[in-house]
Structure formats: structure tokens, C-alpha cells
Amino acid sequence: MKNADIAAVLSETGTLLEIKGENPFKVRAYERAAESIRNLTQDVAEIREAGDLRSLPSIGGGIADKIAELLDTGKCTHHQELLSEFPETVFDMLRIPGVGPKTAKTLIEREGIASVEQLESAARAGRLRELPGMGEKTEQEILRGIAHLREYSKRTNLGLAWTIAEGIMEQLREDAPVDDMEAAGSLRRMKETIGDIDILITSDHPEAVMDRFVGLDLVAEILVHGATKSSVLTGAGVQADLRVVPPESFGAALQYFTGSKEHNVRLRDLAVRKKIKLNEYGVFRVKGEREERVGGRLEEEMYDALGLPLIPPELREDQGEIEAARDGQLPQLIEVGDIRGDLQMHSTWSDGGSTIEEMARAAKALGYRYIAVTDHSPSQTVANGLSVERLRERRKEIAAARRAIPGIGILDATEVDIKRDGSLDYPEEVLAELDFVVASVHSGWKMERAAMTERIIKAMENPLVDGIAHPTGRLIGQREPFEVDMEAVLKAAASLGVAMEINAHPDRLDLKDVHARRAKELGVKLMINTDAHAADQLQLMHFGVATARRGWIEPGDVLNTLPISRLRRRRAKSSRKRG
Ligand code: DGT
Ligand code: CA
Ligand code: CA
Ligand code: ZN
């Protein structure tokens, strides 16, 4: 059993106990244990063999026994018993924004609701407003939540789709006769959600590759098994299409199947006017009745035939990239190699799974020159936020890590909570002691738009704030962004010189691509950070960089492409100027 599966069982146990109205400490213990397992970088099974599960953070005796049972049998009796007490769809209901354990309990016990469909019709019929703790507003919220969920459940988050596609390609590369292989479609464009995975290959033995593909372990259902195209449904519910194309058409097919459809339609219009024909087989010059093939092996040849430079896949959305290419105005997009440091991460001091030293070593191995350790502030009690005393205490460990690991700068930093009134969760003199401060909203999601906007801008006006983390608070497919006047926030960021984060975690990608692009237009500096809660999550940076690329961002727009000396100078200047 993988760590993620064990964490899921523990977290479900906590949720079911909460619905039952069990002791909150017990509920919390399961949630913490799940979080602790999720953040581990080592397999739980290995840890158990090496010693005692109880040595893990937040794992007590009772839970350790349940983990052992899971490792031995793949099941946990306690979890199974709890599951049997509730309708099978209880977790579907809980995924609806606006339905928490308390609401679920009321719905199940009072109304006998056992599915999302039943919930929807009850809400439509106005049957929920009479229930304790609910009202017409809750009813509307639930209906909106259901609609939102339906919209997102058709698509998969980029992070999951990426992992699945990499897994497929790795296995095919290992034991199938493939030559060229490339993921196309929205995945290559790095869209935040993916409808299906499209993989293209060339091969001398297409049937063998197809057989291997439909026989992969992760395949739950075979939709099509053909000689040149196969489609499967993976266990995670994501569809993957595999196409075999002739080598001389690989570039043409890659261009065609990368899309977007809108981008391709524009290209083909352009081609027609130049008496050129583009399709998934190649690019052809039309001479009367005859067509002369001018390319198709390489993707560049497709653009070259139109007199255009190759347009990076992330830009292919028909958002001005064709005009920019024509005018020689394509941006020099940022790359992962331009990033010199990661400016948001959590250590074991708050809710992270790795020590400061482990984070620093991992970052150094990635080639970074610095990191900012941004543990949470006190009001984040659930995330073990640091009191002023503990924040100062942490400084000793930072100093020790600096001595132990030369060659990487460790910024003594925080992710400080922006309170409801826009004030910050640490006093000024404490913020002034730090090397770097990002501020963010973690509470009061449902504030009015104007109030939320004012709240964030007030935080930015504090000269000790360097940047705003995950500026809209969204969790893709799980939680809507909060209401905020993004234009006003970005304008304030530009004039105050506060950086806006592109949070690289694939469930966040916040700012999103279009907001990043607008930020750049307004002259806002961005920072691309992983918000890693364990050392291995530092590798999520490329999702943030891809989102930045989709926002036309260049290295010069991004704070963490600068050397650390410039960051320090910037902070000193900003607090002098404004303070
Ligand atoms: P998705 O899967 O919904 O996230 O988005 P895509 O872009 O991956 O779309 P998909 O999988 O339907 O098709 C892959 C690419 O193939 C698409 O981006 C462009 C190309 N394509 C597919 N169907 C058409 C079409 O009817 N017309 C044109 N021009 N291109 C198409
Ligand atoms: Ca696709
Ligand atoms: Ca497709
Ligand atoms: Zn945060």
C-alpha cells in the first residue's frame, strides 16, 4: 500500500468520525496522522521495517496499529465498519463545495439523502431550508456547488494527468518498440485541467506497442484497440489516447494534436492565404492541381512553411501568439533553469514533513542558490503556526543549517496570515527581524468582494510584506477562488512593488495564467514558488513555470530569478521607502 492510500484511509476515518459527531480531538488525530503520512518522503512500509511507526510525527499507538493492519491486509476494520454506517456516496456529497461533515450528518439523518442526485432534487424542491443550521442561502450554495463539481469532474487536474502520462510513457519506453514519443494536446500546452491525455509515437511495430499500451497495469477499461489508435480509461478515470504516426508525419501530427483547436484554425486560415495546406500528415505547397510536400518530420517545418518561428505550446491558445510570431514579438519565455530559488515552503516547524536542513539540501540538489523557509504564523493553529517565541527559536536551526550546507542561502521567512481586517498575524517588530515575508489569506473565505480586496491591499501596504502567496486561495476542482477585485489588487501590487505569487502546486496554480499575464502588463513582479510541505515537493516548480509561460512571463518578470543579494536589497529599499 502506498503512503497516499494509507493517508486517504486515515483521512476518511477522521471525516466519518466527524460526521458521527465523535470527539474532535480524535477526529483531529486522524487528520494529523493522514497529513503526516502524506508528507513523508519515505515509504511507510520501509519505516515500519526499520523501526516503530510511533516514531513518526502525529502517529500514536491506536493509529499505528491501524496503519500496520493496512500494510498487512490492505484494509482497516475500523474504517470498513464506519463506511458501512453511511451511504456509499457520502464522500461524493462531501466533495460538493458547501457540504461539510456537519451538513452531511443533517442531510443523511434528517432527510435520508443518500446521493448527490437526491441532494440536488431536495435543494431544488426547497426542502433543505427548514433543516437546522441551513437556509435558502445554503440551498443555493449547494446547487452551485453541485454544478461546479460536475463541470470539474469531467476534467482532471494537470498534476494527476501529468503523473499518469509520465507513467505510461516510461513503461512504453521501457518495454515497447517505440521510437519518437511525445505527449500532445492540452497536456503539452500545460493547461490547468486536462480533458484527456494524447500521446503520439512512431514505431516499426505499431501492433506490439498498442498491445503493450492496452495491457498496462493502470488500464481499467479498453475503449478502442486499433492498429494506429487506441484509447483506454485509466484507474484514476482519466482517458488516454495513443496514436502511431509515420516518422515523416511526426512533426505534423504533433503540431495538429497539440492544438489548441482555435490556434490550429487560425494557422490553417493563414495557410490558405499563402496557398499552403497543413494537416496532421504534413505541410504542402498547392500548385494548381498538384501538392508538393514541404515538410512534416519536424514541428518547426510546419511553422516555417508559414514564415513563422516555432510557437511554444503553452502559448497556442489563439490569444495573440500568431500575431506576435508574425511580428517577431514572441516573448522569451521563462524556463525552470532561470529559477534561482524557491520563496515559499514549510518545514517541520509548522506543517511540513521535512526539516529545514532537508529542504535546503534538496533545493541545493536542484541547483538553487537560495530558499525562503516560510512556516505559518500563529493563527494557523491547524497548521501548527509559529508563535513569536517559536519563530525566534527557529532561527537557531536556520543558522545551523546555513553552517551545515554551504552554497545555498536560507532566508529566515514566514507565510504570515492576513487577518480579516487586513492586519498581519505578527507584530511589526517581528516582521522586521525577517529576511522575507509572504502574506496570505487562510480564513474568512466568504467575505464580500470589496472587503476582501481592501483586506489584501491593506496587507500589501505594509512595507514589510514582500509578496502575496496564492492570491485567490483556489484549489482547482475543490474550492472556488474567493471573490476579489483582481485588477485592483494587481494595480496596488504594481504601485507598491509587492510581488504576486504563482503558486506552483498543481492543485493551486494561483495566480492562474491569465491573471499572471495581466500582472505582467501592469508591471507587477511575480514569484514562482512551490509551497512545498516536504522536500520532494520542491520538484513541482515546473508546473508553476508552465503556468507563467502560459501567461507570457519572461525571466525578468520574476523575482526569484534574481540573485539573493538583489532580493535583500529590494526588501531593505522597500521598507525604507514606505516605512
Ligand atoms: P482537452 O483534452 O479537452 O483538455 O483538450 P485538447 O486540446 O487536448 O483536445 P483534444 O484531446 O480533443 O484534441 C487534441 C488536439 O487535437 C486539439 O487540441 C486540436 C486537435 N483537434 C482535435 N479535434 C480537432 C478538430 O476537430 N479540429 C481541429 N482543428 N483540431 C482538432
Ligand atoms: Ca486531450
Ligand atoms: Ca484526445
Ligand atoms: Zn498558504
Side-chain angles (χ1 to χ4, degrees):
M1 236 189 168
K2 294 205 200 88
N3 288 5
D5 303 320
I6 295 169
V9 171
L10 295 176
S11 143
E12 283 188 12
T13 305
T15 307
L16 293 172
L17 289 173
E18 192 176 0
I19 298 179
K20 281 188 73 166
E22 283 271 353
N23 178 342
F25 287 104
K26 200 164 158 188
V27 171
R28 194 59 206 128
Y30 276 96
E31 285 166 0
R32 290 187 71 123
E35 189 59 24
S36 163
I37 302 282
R38 218 173 275 131
N39 285 339
L40 287 175
T41 45
Q42 214 187 341
D43 263 354
V44 176
E46 280 172 30
I47 294 172
R48 183 203 194 190
E49 263 165 39
D52 188 353
L53 289 172
R54 259 164 281 211
S55 65
L56 291 170
S58 313
I59 310 276
I63 294 182
D65 291 344
K66 287 178 181 94
I67 297 174
E69 190 189 349
L70 280 167
L71 287 172
D72 292 335
T73 68
K75 284 213 162 87
C76 163
T77 325
H78 181 51
H79 175 242
Q80 295 287 325
E81 281 167 7
L82 283 170
L83 279 177
S84 68
E85 292 176 35
F86 296 94
E88 269 176 37
T89 57
V90 60
F91 290 105
D92 294 338
M93 286 203 262
L94 286 168
R95 280 175 59 222
I96 301 167
V99 179
K102 230 187 260 153
T103 317
K105 182 182 166 74
T106 312
L107 294 170
I108 294 166
E109 288 178 357
R110 296 282 197 116
E111 280 293 305
I113 287 172
S115 71
V116 175
E117 288 68 30
Q118 285 177 18
L119 179 58
E120 187 177 22
S121 49
R124 285 247 159 78
R127 278 187 5 241
L128 304 183
R129 63 188 69 169
E130 308 301 333
L131 295 172
M134 300 181 74
E136 244 172 279
K137 215 175 145 206
T138 340
E139 243 171 33
Q140 290 311 312
E141 206 173 287
I142 287 177
L143 285 173
R144 269 201 312 277
I146 292 173
H148 176 76
L149 200 65
R150 290 221 171 102
E151 179 53 33
Y152 269 105
S153 59
K154 282 184 269 167
R155 302 185 64 81
T156 306
N157 284 7
L158 174 62
L160 177 60
W162 173 274
T163 308
I164 294 172
E166 285 289 304
I168 293 174
M169 294 199 286
E170 201 177 297
Q171 292 202 35
L172 291 182
R173 214 171 275 128
E174 230 162 65
D175 53 26
V178 295
D179 295 325
D180 303 293
M181 177 157 56
E182 203 73 70
S186 49
L187 188 64
R188 184 160 179 247
R189 305 198 311 279
M190 297 296 271
K191 255 185 91 150
E192 64 185 43
T193 63
I194 305 298
D196 67 2
I197 296 169
D198 304 279
I199 299 172
L200 298 178
I201 60 158
T202 63
S203 171
D204 292 335
H205 306 283
E207 286 90 1
V209 181
M210 288 303 180
D211 290 347
R212 186 70 194 94
F213 175 63
V214 300
L216 291 174
D217 279 345
L218 54 68
V219 172
E221 194 182 331
I222 302 171
L223 304 173
V224 182
H225 183 178
T228 57
K229 187 195 163 188
S230 295
S231 288
V232 299
L233 212 53
T234 66
V238 188
Q239 185 180 326
D241 298 346
L242 180 70
R243 290 183 177 83
V244 191
V245 301
E248 69 274 14
S249 295
F250 188 71
L254 187 58
Q255 197 292 314
Y256 179 87
F257 289 109
T258 295
S260 67
K261 202 166 153 185
E262 293 74 17
H263 173 88
N264 286 354
V265 167
R266 287 287 317 280
L267 279 192
R268 245 168 297 143
D269 286 348
L270 197 64
V272 169
R273 274 183 271 137
K274 294 187 175 241
K275 296 209 168 16
I276 285 171
K277 195 170 119 188
L278 291 179
N279 58 31
E280 63 262 54
Y281 306 106
V283 52
F284 309 86
R285 197 159 286 136
V286 184
K287 294 183 171 167
E289 297 289 283
R290 277 187 34 245
E291 284 175 5
E292 182 199 345
R293 183 185 178 86
V294 292
R297 176 73 187 95
L298 300 173
E299 194 176 38
E300 283 88 334
E301 296 167 356
M302 307 300 287
Y303 289 92
D304 193 48
L306 298 173
L308 300 176
L310 182 84
I311 298 176
E314 296 92 335
L315 296 185
R316 300 184 195 169
E317 300 289 349
D318 187 23
Q319 294 296 319
E321 73 279 7
I322 295 174
E323 292 77 1
R326 188 194 57 205
D327 301 341
Q329 299 288 331
L330 280 177
Q332 292 299 313
L333 295 180
I334 184 161
E335 293 172 7
V336 173
D338 295 319
I339 301 288
R340 292 208 208 194
D342 193 331
L343 294 173
Q344 215 225 128
M345 67 191 62
H346 302 261
S347 76
T348 44
W349 281 84
S350 60
D351 58 346
S354 307
T355 62
I356 293 171
E357 198 174 314
E358 286 164 346
M359 296 305 269
R361 279 192 203 287
K364 190 177 169 184
L366 291 173
Y368 291 153
R369 305 306 302 272
Y370 54 85
I371 56 172
V373 187
T374 55
D375 284 306
H376 289 285
S377 63
S379 71
Q380 281 302 297
T381 47
V382 292
N384 196 20
L386 273 58
S387 63
V388 173
E389 290 68 35
R390 289 181 62 229
L391 180 69
R392 288 178 173 151
E393 187 70 17
R394 192 186 66 162
R395 214 155 280 158
K396 292 180 200 148
E397 195 172 311
I398 291 181
R402 283 176 181 152
R403 281 192 301 274
I405 315 160
I408 183 151
I410 304 176
L411 295 171
D412 181 3
T414 183
E415 178 186 14
V416 65
D417 246 50
I418 303 175
K419 295 196 272 191
R420 279 162 214 256
D421 61 0
S423 66
L424 299 174
D425 203 20
Y426 284 123
E428 296 288 297
E429 69 272 17
V430 173
L431 293 173
E433 295 166 9
L434 295 166
D435 299 327
F436 195 75
V437 172
V438 299
S440 61
V441 168
H442 289 111
S443 60
W445 303 95
K446 291 181 183 168
M447 264 172 107
E448 294 265 346
R449 182 178 156 98
M452 184 61 93
T453 307
E454 206 177 307
R455 173 182 181 182
I456 296 175
I457 293 178
K458 179 155 181 235
M460 292 196 298
E461 282 166 349
N462 187 319
L464 295 164
V465 169
D466 297 282
I468 300 292
H470 47 72
T472 75
R474 73 170 179 167
L475 289 174
I476 299 171
Q478 296 168 54
R479 186 172 70 208
E480 294 265 33
F482 45 68
E483 293 282 338
V484 66
D485 180 349
M486 187 48 70
E487 187 72 8
V489 169
L490 293 178
K491 283 187 172 142
S495 73
L496 295 164
V498 171
M500 294 299 257
E501 182 177 74
I502 296 177
N503 192 294
H505 195 289
D507 290 340
R508 289 193 183 270
L509 301 179
D510 180 11
L511 293 178
K512 62 167 156 182
D513 47 14
V514 291
H515 284 158
R517 189 169 177 189
R518 182 65 187 140
K520 178 193 169 96
E521 281 168 6
L522 293 169
V524 177
K525 272 270 186 290
L526 295 152
M527 51 178 182
I528 310 175
N529 304 324
T530 59
D531 197 355
H533 281 66
D536 59 348
Q537 292 173 12
L538 291 168
Q539 293 166 21
L540 299 174
M541 181 61 84
H542 68 108
F543 291 115
V545 170
T547 300
R549 289 168 65 88
R550 288 180 58 82
W552 294 53
I553 301 302
E554 305 182 273
D557 303 320
V558 178
L559 203 58
N560 45 328
T561 62
L562 295 175
I564 193 168
S565 54
R566 291 275 303 277
L567 290 185
R568 289 187 186 278
R569 239 181 295 147
R570 196 175 183 276
R571 177 170 176 80
K573 216 171 100 191
S574 132
S575 42
R576 261 204 316 278
K577 193 168 74 199
R578 290 190 273 145

